[in-house]
Amino acid sequence: MKFRNNQPPPAGFQLAPMIDVVFLLLIFFIVTYQLSDYETELEVSVPTAEEGATSTRGYLEELVNIRSDGTIVMEKTIYTLDELQAKMERLARVNKNQPIRIRGDADTRYQAIVNVIDRCRKAGIWNVSFATQKPQPER
């Protein structure tokens, strides 16, 4: 006598949901990469240094661009020193260890960079770093 098995056949590995997740992750990383590139000021040519040149940006790091004429630019908006200090105070209230990266142009007067650092310190920001680039090889 032959008995019938009413169990369905074993299900195989489902690839469609996994492919959907991979595409969503890919879209997420492409969009966030474009947003991080949006904040770099193209008119700023950072100075060169053998050590400390990093191309990666920290998770919550804010970029402060200082053009050669001393103009302060953040998120494609021009700020005065007072407006910058107010923004830094708001950032410091949200995150006590808020990292700031200063991208000063190679031709910027040192006083303009010191003014930005001073306003960051007055606002309670202590985690300040400076952007540099690696020297170009000689041809």
Side-chain angles (χ1 to χ4, degrees), residues 116-137:
V116 170
I117 295 170
D118 185 46
R119 294 303 176 111
C120 289
R121 294 291 301 155
K122 285 181 182 177
I125 303 283
W126 60 269
N127 191 358
V128 177
S129 63
F130 299 93
T132 60
Q133 64 182 348
K134 292 193 181 222
Q136 298 296 325

Side-chain angles (χ1 to χ4, degrees), residues 33 38-39 43 45 48 54 76 105 113-114 120-121:
Y33 178 75
Y38 175 75
E39 293 184 11
E43 294 180 24
S45 175
T48 60
T54 59
K76 301 290 184 189
D105 192 89
I113 294 174
V114 169
C120 289
R121 294 291 301 155

Side-chain angles (χ1 to χ4, degrees), residues 35-36 39-40 54-64 74-75 88 91 95 97-103 127-131:
L35 288 176
S36 67
E39 293 184 11
T40 57
T54 59
S55 60
T56 58
R57 186 171 159 213
Y59 172 58
L60 291 173
E61 190 173 59
E62 290 288 332
L63 292 177
V64 178
M74 275 184 75
E75 300 166 351
M88 294 298 156
L91 289 171
N95 183 6
N97 298 325
Q98 175 66 46
I100 302 293
R101 174 149 321 165
I102 296 177
R103 292 185 72 244
N127 191 358
V128 177
S129 63
F130 299 93

